[in-house]
């Protein structure tokens, strides 16, 4: 009897430390003011997900190798959509730019989700690097947008909370790109911003 109680107690303890994998919707949002800084200049937006793996990271816990946080949708399409909408709001022609448009390639180089060590996770660090490369003919302009955020949480984060944290850090980098005065000047036609 005592052995059965001990087995049940240990099972409950380990079950509390096992975290299941999560799929999250990547939906960054461009938060920019409506302006005409773009003066209808055409911009062709292309996003690339350059990360080594599909998962952002692991949730940690006992089975951290399988408790992965992964995107439920296409990350590069979500980035492209947010940037196009942001540029359109700023007066650029980003939805039907044509052949002679300035090309804006945005590469997600890093989006890492790292939980604290241990079986109970109350702290998560997200680190992101977004690289933008705009080109027109032989002229090139680049920008790098990095973020690192530590989240202290009362409980191990749910899928909804993880989705919010990932989208917040990605939206922040996209917004810094869309508010970068030199990048905007180049996209608007100035070869030497």
């Amino acid at each position: 009897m005592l052995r059965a109680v001990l087995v049940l107690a240990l099972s409950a303890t380990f079950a509390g430390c096992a975290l299941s994998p999560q799929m999250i919707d990547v939906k960054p949002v461009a938060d920019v003011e409506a302006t005409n800084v773009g003066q209808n200049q055409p911009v062709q937006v292309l996003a690339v997900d350059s990360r080594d793996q599909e998962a952002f990271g692991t949730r940690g816990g006992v089975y951290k190798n399988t408790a992965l946080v992964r995107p439920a949708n296409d990350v590069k399409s979500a980035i492209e959509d947010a940037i196009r909408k942001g540029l359109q709001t700023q007066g650029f022609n980003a939805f039907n730019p044509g052949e002679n448009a300035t090309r804006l390639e945005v590469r997600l180089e890093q989006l890492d989700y790292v939980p604290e060590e241990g079986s109970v996770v109350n702290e998560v660090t997200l680190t992101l690097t977004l690289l933008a490369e705009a080109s027109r003919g032989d002229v090139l302009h680049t920008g790098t947008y990095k973020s690192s955020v530590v989240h202290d949480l009362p409980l191990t984060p749910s899928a909804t909370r993880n989705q919010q944290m990932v989208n917040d850090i990605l939206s922040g980098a996209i917004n810094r790109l869309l508010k970068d005065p030199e990048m905007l000047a180049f996209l608007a036609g100035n070869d030497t911003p």
Side-chain angles (χ1 to χ4, degrees):
M1 179 70 176
L2 180 60
R3 185 175 177 196
V5 171
L6 183 60
V7 168
L8 284 173
L10 285 173
S11 297
T13 300
F14 285 120
C17 301
L19 299 171
S20 58
Q22 292 178 342
M23 301 285 284
I24 61 173
D25 284 322
V26 179
K27 292 181 180 173
V29 176
D31 183 18
V32 293
E33 291 183 23
T35 65
N36 194 24
V37 69
Q39 299 177 356
N40 208 36
Q41 286 292 317
V43 179
Q44 179 189 10
V45 179
L46 174 68
V48 178
D49 186 354
S50 299
R51 297 173 306 122
D52 293 337
Q53 59 186 13
E54 181 200 25
F56 299 121
T58 176
R59 298 183 66 208
V62 176
Y63 305 110
K64 64 182 178 182
N65 292 339
T66 58
L68 301 176
V69 179
R70 296 184 319 195
N73 57 325
D74 184 38
V75 174
K76 63 183 185 59
S77 294
I79 292 171
E80 275 179 17
D81 187 54
I83 292 172
R84 277 194 192 109
K85 286 177 180 172
L87 288 172
Q88 199 77 20
T89 301
Q90 293 173 303
F92 292 92
N93 174 5
F95 281 103
N96 48 10
E99 292 179 14
N100 297 320
T102 298
R103 188 172 190 268
L104 175 63
E105 182 176 302
V106 180
R107 288 195 299 273
L108 181 60
E109 300 275 318
Q110 175 187 28
L111 204 173
D112 293 338
Y113 176 103
V114 181
E116 66 181 325
E117 288 296 322
S119 58
V120 179
V121 177
N122 295 105
E123 184 180 287
V124 174
T125 302
L126 278 85
T127 307
L128 177 141
T129 303
L130 199 66
L131 179 66
E133 189 174 275
S135 58
R136 183 171 44 252
D138 294 335
V139 186
L140 185 69
H141 183 79
T142 61
T144 303
Y145 310 91
K146 296 183 176 188
S147 296
S148 185
V149 182
V150 178
H151 294 273
D152 287 314
L153 306 155
L155 301 169
T156 300
S158 64
T160 301
R161 183 70 177 111
N162 279 330
Q163 181 170 298
Q164 180 187 359
M165 292 189 297
V166 167
N167 284 319
D168 283 352
I169 195 170
L170 188 52
S171 297
I174 288 171
N175 287 322
R176 284 199 308 282
L177 184 164
L178 293 172
K179 293 174 183 177
D180 179 341
E182 290 186 0
M183 181 61 76
L184 290 176
F186 183 85
L187 294 176
N190 182 353
D191 284 351
T192 56

